[in-house]
Amino acid sequence: MRPEKDCQLCSLHVGRTIMVLPCGDPSSKVCFVGEAPGEKEDLSGTPFVGRSGKLLDKMLAEEGVERSSIRITNTVKCRPPGNRDPTQVEMDACRPFLLAELQDCEAVVALGRSACRSLAGLTAPMKEMANKRMSIDVGGREVLLIPTYHPAACIYRKEAREGLRETIRSIRPLV
Ligand code: URA
């Protein structure tokens, strides 16, 4: 189940250049879920190709995980104007597509607060949630969810970098 090419289920379609669908290995058991496409993603149609994507790639490589061996997607497939956070309504409209993308996964890494909110309704500060494993229901199946820091938070914050690094290390055996 994928969004229609001209999807208009929420207002994000208005500013969309290209819809950003998942990248990476479609048969991977591990999926990283970010917040929403930014400017570079909207222009290229690929998740995490801008500044935070570069940092994510670097951290994955440093921990011995190849970007191409995992799956990467976002809570919403279209860029919010001015890179604002996606609203609950926008995430709700896109959630059926997100859940379809996770159908064969064993582990989901929720990058940042929007992903945590969309996937598990979590609203606590990231400091309290990061790397506390839980399970979510994906189509009647229990799937491991690991809340963690968004790569954008890691650009300037050491604590966030260490948290995301710990997450990447912990999923390595599943990749
Ligand atoms: N930030 C995200 O959450 N997702 C992207 O694809 C790029 C930046």
Side-chain angles (χ1 to χ4, degrees):
M1 183 200 196
R2 283 176 155 225
E4 298 287 335
K5 249 187 141 186
D6 62 347
C7 179
Q8 300 191 1
L9 288 177
C10 80
S11 62
L12 293 182
H13 75 275
V14 174
R16 172 176 73 217
T17 308
I18 305 178
M19 187 183 294
V20 181
L21 295 174
C23 68
D25 180 356
S27 66
S28 175
K29 297 293 168 211
V30 178
C31 186
F32 281 50
V33 180
E35 180 174 82
E39 186 181 9
K40 293 232 162 67
E41 291 78 18
D42 173 67
L43 293 173
S44 66
T46 304
F48 282 101
V49 291
R51 192 171 182 202
S52 51
K54 300 250 175 313
L55 181 55
L56 177 62
D57 289 354
K58 181 170 176 280
M59 293 178 73
L60 287 168
E62 283 168 358
E63 296 306 325
V65 176
E66 282 196 39
R67 175 181 165 119
S68 60
S69 68
I70 57 171
R71 201 138 163 77
I72 306 179
T73 190
N74 282 300
T75 64
V76 294
K77 315 304 175 208
C78 302
R79 181 192 182 198
N83 295 339
R84 65 158 170 75
D85 293 352
T87 65
Q88 189 68 50
V89 169
E90 291 157 355
M91 292 194 294
D92 288 348
C94 230
R95 188 175 305 100
F97 306 118
L98 176 59
L99 293 178
E101 291 158 5
L102 303 179
Q103 210 145 37
D104 299 319
C105 279
E106 282 172 13
V108 179
V109 174
L111 296 168
R113 297 193 59 189
S114 295
C116 291
R117 184 190 289 259
S118 177
L119 288 162
L122 302 174
T123 55
M126 188 49 69
K127 211 180 162 141
E128 289 169 23
M129 301 190 286
N131 292 305
K132 303 225 163 88
R133 292 178 166 217
M134 61 185 66
S135 55
I136 54 168
D137 182 286
V138 176
R141 229 166 32 88
E142 269 199 11
V143 172
L144 171 67
L145 179 84
I146 310 175
T148 194
Y149 293 90
H150 190 282
C154 298
I155 294 174
Y156 299 110
R157 288 178 48 215
K158 185 162 177 246
E159 178 198 352
R161 263 194 313 277
E162 283 170 357
L164 178 53
R165 196 174 291 286
E166 181 186 332
T167 312
I168 296 171
R169 217 168 271 161
S170 76
I171 55 89
R172 201 171 39 195
L174 299 171
V175 173

